């Protein structure tokens, strides 16, 4: 890419960083230092503000870069991510949003611990939340590296690595200084920028084809090299039974995973009431639905205008399809319009990554401090909210360091694919224990612990022994081969195991479920009586 691309993109990105750091600094001067302020922003956000923030949290690099890239490479099969990510919100709206807001205080573990023995449940749920968050963070780091590789012509691995480190450092600053209030406003700014940028690109693609969507699809199929197969199921997931099971596994993980994502669940605590939480989700669904419809246009637009081969040549995983599309729509390489549009898209993508990693880091550091630290420290010393906040800030730095290291390892994988793995772990470990706690009267502490570990451990192990890590040219370690599990996404096996483990743990437990605490929890979840 030309020096103009680099200079303008870096200038726009620097402007976003300056604005968000300004927000963070301003918030840090006005904070009270309490746990409630750090974790939930004082529960002062309106449903519309929180809806925009939820959308900002959810519309990640996987959505903007990864999904469009997968559609550009695989056509119809790539759209599964768009559909799955959107349909998942119906599960959140109908089953989770209001009940979680009423039952919890800061984290997923609060909901489960309301009717169980706290210590084992908090340790299990906290461990699971950190694992999901780190996987999700890795995807954002990979997206940042891909963007910089494109911006600098793909010649500097060192620059790519330093970008990942820089993104990690910035997210630590956002979380440690500003907490939830700063993170929320960063999400809102980013959501507006992303929706505006995506809308402009979508309109330009449709104008190029005079509003004829059929012509767009036909041209995309012709330039894909696959003809009509590009517009039919089976290009990515049609190569035998293994691929078909992978397709089902991925779909299951995407639809069920959102309701178990820690950084999404934590957003329900930033509004004053359960009704506001539900209205937040309605706002989020409207924004997210419009966005995913536009990613479909962008994916097929990249295939039609840039060409599948050129997208694959730039990034084997397709992560650079949207920036390349922007360059073409603006007039091509070397043109002023192309330079400006490319720079804007690159800056928006960077903003997306920064905002999302801040939200995920905050949620995971809250789990470390509020669940793990508070449970593992010596009994009798009591909880000190200010001490908890200090631990959360330290945890943000540690989690950031782990995410940076893993992001450098997984730099050649598609970001939407990586997020699919995070969704599978969330659906396997967090969703079963959450649903059992909310809806099963006889659920016990042993059932809760077994449910979390019964989903988490198999999900992680199956990923480690899958083609994602070894045994294929696209794996993290292409030179090694310890692959045992044939599927790339573990959800089809690990999600049922999480539910089964929770049921087994409960029926084999000697303790009886606390009827009184269940009744209290049920009334609170349905009515909001006694909610924080």
């Amino acid at each position: 890419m030309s020096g103009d691309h680099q200079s303008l993109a870096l200038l726009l990105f620097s402007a976003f960083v300056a604005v968000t750091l300004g927000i963070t600094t301003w918030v840090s001067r006005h904070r009270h230092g309490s746990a409630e302020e750090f974790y939930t922003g004082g529960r002062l956000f309106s449903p519309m503000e929180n809806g925009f923030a939820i959308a900002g949290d959810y519309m990640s690099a996987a959505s903007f870069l990864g999904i469009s890239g997968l559609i550009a490479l695989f056509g119809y099969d790539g759209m599964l991510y768009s559909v799955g990510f959107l349909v998942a919100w119906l599960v959140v709206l109908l089953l989770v949003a209001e009940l979680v807001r009423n039952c919890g205080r800061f984290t997923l573990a609060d909901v489960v611990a309301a009717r169980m023995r706290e210590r084992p449940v908090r340790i299990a749920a906290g461990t699971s939340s950190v694992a999901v968050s780190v996987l999700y963070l890795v995807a954002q780091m990979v997206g940042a590296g891909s963007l910089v590789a494109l911006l600098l012509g793909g010649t500097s691995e060192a620059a790519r690595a330093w970008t990942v480190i820089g993104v990690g450092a910035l997210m630590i600053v956002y979380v440690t200084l500003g907490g939830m209030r700063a993170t929320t406003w960063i999400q809102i700014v980013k959501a507006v920028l992303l929706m505006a940028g995506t809308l402009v690109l979508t309109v330009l693609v449709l104008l190029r084809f005079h509003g004829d969507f059929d012509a767009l699809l036909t041209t995309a199929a012709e330039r894909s090299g696959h003809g009509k197969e590009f517009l039919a199921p089976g290009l990515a997931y049609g190569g035998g039974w293994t691929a078909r099971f992978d397709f089902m596994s991925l779909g299951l993980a995407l639809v069920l995973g959102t309701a178990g994502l820690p950084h999404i669940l934590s957003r329900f605590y930033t509004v004053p009431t359960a009704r506001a939480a539900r209205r937040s989700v309605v706002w989020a669904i409207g924004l997210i639905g419009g966005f995913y419809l536009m990613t479909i246009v962008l994916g097929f637009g990249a295939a039609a205008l840039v060409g599948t081969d050129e997208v694959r040549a730039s990034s084997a995983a397709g992560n650079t399809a949207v920036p390349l599309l922007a360059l073409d729509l603006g007039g091509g390489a070397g043109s002023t319009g192309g330079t400006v549009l490319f720079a804007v898209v690159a800056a928006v993508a960077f903003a997306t990554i920064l905002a999302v990693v801040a939200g995920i880091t905050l949620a995971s550091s809250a789990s470390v401090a509020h669940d793990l630290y508070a449970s593992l420290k010596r009994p009798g010393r009591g909880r000190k909210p200010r001490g908890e906040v200090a631990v959360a800030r330290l945890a943000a730095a540690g989690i950031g360091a782990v995410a940076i290291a893993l992001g450098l390892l997984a730099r050649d994988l598609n970001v939407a694919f990586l997020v699919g793995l995070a969704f599978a772990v969330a659906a396997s470990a967090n969703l079963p224990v959450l649903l059992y706690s909310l809806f099963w009267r006889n659920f016990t502490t042993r059932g809760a612990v077994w449910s979390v570990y019964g989903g988490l451990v198999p999900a992680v192990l199956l990923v480690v022994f899958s083609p994602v890590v070894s045994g294929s040219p696209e794996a993290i370690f292409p030179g090694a081969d310890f692959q045992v599990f044939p599927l790339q996404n573990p959800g089809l096996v690990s999600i049922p195991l999480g539910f089964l483990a929770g049921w087994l743990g409960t029926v084999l437990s000697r303790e009886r479920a606390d009827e009184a605490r269940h009744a209290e929890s049920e009334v609170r979840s349905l009515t909001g009586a006694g909610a924080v």
Side-chain angles (χ1 to χ4, degrees):
M1 295 300 162
S2 68
D4 290 339
H5 289 88
Q6 295 177 32
S7 302
L8 189 55
L10 292 173
L11 179 66
L12 291 170
F13 176 59
S14 300
F16 176 81
V17 171
V19 169
T20 51
L21 284 176
I23 292 171
T24 304
T25 305
W26 179 78
V27 168
S28 67
R29 288 177 179 173
H30 294 80
R31 70 178 185 221
H32 307 299
S34 67
E36 186 163 332
E37 173 71 23
F38 184 79
Y39 294 141
T40 68
R43 309 185 201 279
L44 298 174
F45 293 100
S46 70
M48 186 181 77
E49 289 169 345
N50 198 43
F52 269 85
I54 289 172
D57 240 340
Y58 198 68
M59 297 184 304
S60 64
S63 303
F64 190 50
L65 301 176
I67 293 176
S68 300
L70 286 172
I71 293 172
L73 296 181
F74 301 111
Y76 182 96
D77 280 9
M79 287 199 302
L80 174 65
Y81 283 87
S82 288
V83 176
F85 282 149
L86 179 57
V87 170
W89 279 98
L90 295 177
V91 178
V92 178
L93 178 65
L94 298 174
L95 292 180
V96 171
E98 285 190 70
L99 304 183
V100 165
R101 174 62 190 84
N102 282 335
C103 280
R105 189 179 175 210
F106 299 136
T107 64
L108 164 70
D110 289 337
V111 180
V112 184
R115 46 176 294 215
M116 311 288 177
R117 283 185 287 118
E118 283 205 29
R119 186 169 180 171
V121 166
R122 286 194 181 278
I123 292 172
T127 302
S128 170
S129 295
V130 171
V132 173
S133 298
V134 168
L135 265 176
Y136 211 111
L137 280 172
V138 169
Q140 312 310 313
M141 300 298 188
V142 170
S146 295
L147 264 180
V148 169
L150 179 63
L151 198 60
L152 301 177
T155 55
S156 176
E157 282 294 323
R160 198 171 169 180
W162 279 109
T163 302
V164 171
I165 294 168
V167 169
L170 277 170
M171 77 182 182
I172 292 167
V173 171
Y174 289 146
V175 172
T176 54
L177 288 182
M180 178 58 86
R181 188 168 296 186
T183 300
T184 299
W185 282 111
I186 291 167
Q187 299 285 18
I188 292 170
V189 172
K190 167 257 172 152
V192 172
L193 287 175
L194 184 60
M195 289 297 289
T198 309
L199 181 61
V200 169
L201 289 180
T202 302
V203 169
L204 289 175
V205 170
L206 293 176
L207 284 176
R208 184 71 70 90
F209 291 92
H210 308 290
D212 189 344
F213 195 69
D214 186 55
L216 167 63
L217 295 179
T218 303
T219 309
E222 289 170 356
R223 294 207 60 190
S224 69
H226 298 286
K228 291 183 178 180
E229 291 180 6
F230 191 70
L231 304 178
L235 197 59
Y237 298 105
W241 282 106
T242 300
R244 292 174 190 178
F245 279 123
D246 236 334
F247 180 85
M248 290 186 283
S249 188
L250 174 63
L252 195 62
L254 295 182
V255 170
L256 298 179
T258 300
L261 291 176
H263 66 291
I264 297 298
L265 294 175
S266 67
R267 294 234 60 92
F268 300 138
Y269 302 126
T270 63
V271 289
T273 64
R275 184 166 180 263
R278 188 177 182 86
R279 289 172 61 198
S280 297
V281 175
V282 173
W283 272 99
I285 287 176
L287 293 165
I288 292 166
F291 173 77
Y292 282 127
L293 287 174
M294 291 189 286
T295 60
I296 294 172
V297 176
L298 297 187
F300 284 115
L305 299 175
V306 179
T308 299
D309 290 339
E310 191 170 335
V311 170
R312 188 175 280 111
S314 172
S315 168
N319 293 330
T320 55
V322 173
L324 289 174
L325 174 64
L327 188 63
D328 186 278
L329 290 170
S335 68
T336 303
T339 298
V340 170
L341 202 53
F342 174 88
V344 168
V345 167
V348 168
F350 271 126
T352 296
I353 290 164
L354 275 181
V356 171
V357 296
I360 301 166
T361 305
L362 179 61
S364 53
S365 62
S367 290
V368 170
H370 185 63
D371 298 328
L372 297 178
Y373 166 73
S375 298
L376 292 173
K377 68 180 182 180
R378 281 180 292 176
R381 294 181 63 178
R383 285 197 182 189
K384 296 180 181 178
R386 286 177 184 267
E388 239 182 64
V389 172
V391 171
R393 293 195 175 104
L394 286 174
I399 289 164
V402 172
I404 288 167
L406 292 174
L408 294 173
L409 269 179
R411 60 183 177 270
D412 294 323
L413 295 178
N414 181 279
V415 287
F417 170 73
L418 285 170
V419 164
L421 296 182
F423 272 60
V425 177
S428 304
N430 292 348
L431 184 64
V433 72
L434 183 60
L435 294 182
Y436 278 147
S437 297
L438 291 172
F439 299 111
W440 189 12
R441 179 180 299 275
N442 297 324
F443 197 44
T444 64
T445 301
R446 178 184 287 183
V449 173
W450 282 28
S451 181
V452 172
Y453 292 129
L456 176 65
V457 174
V460 173
L461 285 178
L462 290 175
V463 170
V464 169
F465 293 105
S466 75
V468 175
V469 176
S470 70
S472 69
E474 300 83 19
I476 295 176
F477 301 109
D481 187 2
F482 44 86
Q483 173 199 339
V484 177
F485 183 64
L487 305 184
Q488 292 187 322
N489 191 292
L492 194 62
V493 176
S494 59
I495 294 172
L497 283 178
F499 281 100
L500 177 62
W503 177 78
L504 277 176
T506 298
V507 298
L508 296 178
S509 174
R510 292 181 180 178
E511 72 171 311
R512 308 294 299 172
D514 191 323
E515 292 286 337
R517 289 180 72 180
H518 169 74
E520 180 187 343
S521 176
E522 187 174 41
V523 169
R524 188 169 70 180
S525 68
L526 294 174
T527 67
V532 177

PDB file of all heavy atoms in Angstrom, residues 157-171:
ATOM      1  N   GLU A 157       6.614  -8.521   9.508  1.00  0.00           N
ATOM      2  CA  GLU A 157       6.063  -9.319  10.603  1.00  0.00           C
ATOM      3  C   GLU A 157       6.285  -8.621  11.936  1.00  0.00           C
ATOM      4  O   GLU A 157       5.476  -8.728  12.855  1.00  0.00           O
ATOM      5  CB  GLU A 157       6.720 -10.706  10.615  1.00  0.00           C
ATOM      6  CG  GLU A 157       6.172 -11.659   9.575  1.00  0.00           C
ATOM      7  CD  GLU A 157       4.713 -12.029   9.824  1.00  0.00           C
ATOM      8  OE1 GLU A 157       4.313 -12.176  10.996  1.00  0.00           O
ATOM      9  OE2 GLU A 157       3.951 -12.128   8.848  1.00  0.00           O
ATOM     10  N   ALA A 158       7.407  -7.892  12.031  1.00  0.00           N
ATOM     11  CA  ALA A 158       7.705  -7.184  13.278  1.00  0.00           C
ATOM     12  C   ALA A 158       6.646  -6.116  13.552  1.00  0.00           C
ATOM     13  O   ALA A 158       6.162  -5.965  14.681  1.00  0.00           O
ATOM     14  CB  ALA A 158       9.085  -6.549  13.209  1.00  0.00           C
ATOM     15  N   ALA A 159       6.256  -5.379  12.489  1.00  0.00           N
ATOM     16  CA  ALA A 159       5.236  -4.342  12.660  1.00  0.00           C
ATOM     17  C   ALA A 159       3.909  -4.967  13.072  1.00  0.00           C
ATOM     18  O   ALA A 159       3.169  -4.419  13.894  1.00  0.00           O
ATOM     19  CB  ALA A 159       5.066  -3.558  11.363  1.00  0.00           C
ATOM     20  N   ARG A 160       3.612  -6.119  12.499  1.00  0.00           N
ATOM     21  CA  ARG A 160       2.379  -6.834  12.837  1.00  0.00           C
ATOM     22  C   ARG A 160       2.380  -7.228  14.313  1.00  0.00           C
ATOM     23  O   ARG A 160       1.382  -7.070  15.019  1.00  0.00           O
ATOM     24  CB  ARG A 160       2.303  -8.064  11.944  1.00  0.00           C
ATOM     25  CG  ARG A 160       0.952  -8.706  11.832  1.00  0.00           C
ATOM     26  CD  ARG A 160       0.998  -9.762  10.749  1.00  0.00           C
ATOM     27  NE  ARG A 160      -0.171 -10.604  10.751  1.00  0.00           N
ATOM     28  CZ  ARG A 160      -0.355 -11.602   9.903  1.00  0.00           C
ATOM     29  NH1 ARG A 160       0.550 -11.872   8.985  1.00  0.00           N
ATOM     30  NH2 ARG A 160      -1.444 -12.334   9.959  1.00  0.00           N
ATOM     31  N   ALA A 161       3.517  -7.725  14.761  1.00  0.00           N
ATOM     32  CA  ALA A 161       3.629  -8.140  16.162  1.00  0.00           C
ATOM     33  C   ALA A 161       3.512  -6.942  17.101  1.00  0.00           C
ATOM     34  O   ALA A 161       2.824  -6.994  18.123  1.00  0.00           O
ATOM     35  CB  ALA A 161       4.964  -8.852  16.382  1.00  0.00           C
ATOM     36  N   TRP A 162       4.177  -5.839  16.743  1.00  0.00           N
ATOM     37  CA  TRP A 162       4.122  -4.653  17.587  1.00  0.00           C
ATOM     38  C   TRP A 162       2.723  -4.061  17.643  1.00  0.00           C
ATOM     39  O   TRP A 162       2.315  -3.477  18.640  1.00  0.00           O
ATOM     40  CB  TRP A 162       5.130  -3.611  17.119  1.00  0.00           C
ATOM     41  CG  TRP A 162       6.520  -3.894  17.620  1.00  0.00           C
ATOM     42  CD1 TRP A 162       7.594  -4.314  16.902  1.00  0.00           C
ATOM     43  CD2 TRP A 162       6.959  -3.812  18.984  1.00  0.00           C
ATOM     44  NE1 TRP A 162       8.686  -4.509  17.726  1.00  0.00           N
ATOM     45  CE2 TRP A 162       8.321  -4.199  19.013  1.00  0.00           C
ATOM     46  CE3 TRP A 162       6.339  -3.454  20.181  1.00  0.00           C
ATOM     47  CZ2 TRP A 162       9.069  -4.221  20.180  1.00  0.00           C
ATOM     48  CZ3 TRP A 162       7.086  -3.486  21.364  1.00  0.00           C
ATOM     49  CH2 TRP A 162       8.435  -3.863  21.343  1.00  0.00           C
ATOM     50  N   THR A 163       1.954  -4.213  16.553  1.00  0.00           N
ATOM     51  CA  THR A 163       0.580  -3.725  16.564  1.00  0.00           C
ATOM     52  C   THR A 163      -0.261  -4.507  17.560  1.00  0.00           C
ATOM     53  O   THR A 163      -1.064  -3.945  18.310  1.00  0.00           O
ATOM     54  CB  THR A 163      -0.050  -3.846  15.170  1.00  0.00           C
ATOM     55  OG1 THR A 163       0.735  -3.104  14.259  1.00  0.00           O
ATOM     56  CG2 THR A 163      -1.468  -3.314  15.158  1.00  0.00           C
ATOM     57  N   VAL A 164      -0.112  -5.823  17.556  1.00  0.00           N
ATOM     58  CA  VAL A 164      -0.835  -6.663  18.517  1.00  0.00           C
ATOM     59  C   VAL A 164      -0.490  -6.238  19.945  1.00  0.00           C
ATOM     60  O   VAL A 164      -1.365  -6.106  20.805  1.00  0.00           O
ATOM     61  CB  VAL A 164      -0.498  -8.152  18.285  1.00  0.00           C
ATOM     62  CG1 VAL A 164      -1.065  -9.009  19.404  1.00  0.00           C
ATOM     63  CG2 VAL A 164      -1.036  -8.616  16.943  1.00  0.00           C
ATOM     64  N   ILE A 165       0.800  -5.984  20.176  1.00  0.00           N
ATOM     65  CA  ILE A 165       1.235  -5.551  21.516  1.00  0.00           C
ATOM     66  C   ILE A 165       0.642  -4.182  21.850  1.00  0.00           C
ATOM     67  O   ILE A 165       0.188  -3.936  22.973  1.00  0.00           O
ATOM     68  CB  ILE A 165       2.774  -5.511  21.566  1.00  0.00           C
ATOM     69  CG1 ILE A 165       3.331  -6.934  21.432  1.00  0.00           C
ATOM     70  CG2 ILE A 165       3.266  -4.869  22.864  1.00  0.00           C
ATOM     71  CD1 ILE A 165       4.826  -6.997  21.191  1.00  0.00           C
ATOM     72  N   GLY A 166       0.612  -3.282  20.853  1.00  0.00           N
ATOM     73  CA  GLY A 166       0.057  -1.949  21.082  1.00  0.00           C
ATOM     74  C   GLY A 166      -1.421  -1.980  21.401  1.00  0.00           C
ATOM     75  O   GLY A 166      -1.901  -1.266  22.295  1.00  0.00           O
ATOM     76  N   VAL A 167      -2.176  -2.816  20.682  1.00  0.00           N
ATOM     77  CA  VAL A 167      -3.610  -2.955  20.954  1.00  0.00           C
ATOM     78  C   VAL A 167      -3.820  -3.483  22.371  1.00  0.00           C
ATOM     79  O   VAL A 167      -4.689  -2.994  23.121  1.00  0.00           O
ATOM     80  CB  VAL A 167      -4.271  -3.889  19.919  1.00  0.00           C
ATOM     81  CG1 VAL A 167      -5.682  -4.263  20.352  1.00  0.00           C
ATOM     82  CG2 VAL A 167      -4.310  -3.225  18.552  1.00  0.00           C
ATOM     83  N   GLY A 168      -3.008  -4.462  22.750  1.00  0.00           N
ATOM     84  CA  GLY A 168      -3.113  -5.010  24.105  1.00  0.00           C
ATOM     85  C   GLY A 168      -2.825  -3.959  25.170  1.00  0.00           C
ATOM     86  O   GLY A 168      -3.523  -3.867  26.184  1.00  0.00           O
ATOM     87  N   ALA A 169      -1.811  -3.132  24.919  1.00  0.00           N
ATOM     88  CA  ALA A 169      -1.454  -2.088  25.890  1.00  0.00           C
ATOM     89  C   ALA A 169      -2.580  -1.056  26.024  1.00  0.00           C
ATOM     90  O   ALA A 169      -2.922  -0.631  27.135  1.00  0.00           O
ATOM     91  CB  ALA A 169      -0.165  -1.411  25.452  1.00  0.00           C
ATOM     92  N   LEU A 170      -3.174  -0.667  24.885  1.00  0.00           N
ATOM     93  CA  LEU A 170      -4.255   0.324  24.925  1.00  0.00           C
ATOM     94  C   LEU A 170      -5.478  -0.205  25.682  1.00  0.00           C
ATOM     95  O   LEU A 170      -6.109   0.514  26.453  1.00  0.00           O
ATOM     96  CB  LEU A 170      -4.658   0.734  23.513  1.00  0.00           C
ATOM     97  CG  LEU A 170      -3.800   1.810  22.846  1.00  0.00           C
ATOM     98  CD1 LEU A 170      -4.164   1.936  21.372  1.00  0.00           C
ATOM     99  CD2 LEU A 170      -3.960   3.150  23.543  1.00  0.00           C
ATOM    100  N   MET A 171      -5.800  -1.483  25.459  1.00  0.00           N
ATOM    101  CA  MET A 171      -6.991  -2.018  26.128  1.00  0.00           C
ATOM    102  C   MET A 171      -6.773  -2.062  27.639  1.00  0.00           C
ATOM    103  O   MET A 171      -7.707  -1.834  28.414  1.00  0.00           O
ATOM    104  CB  MET A 171      -7.335  -3.409  25.593  1.00  0.00           C
ATOM    105  CG  MET A 171      -6.494  -4.535  26.093  1.00  0.00           C
ATOM    106  SD  MET A 171      -6.992  -6.101  25.327  1.00  0.00           S
ATOM    107  CE  MET A 171      -5.872  -7.239  26.157  1.00  0.00           C
TER     108      MET A 171
END
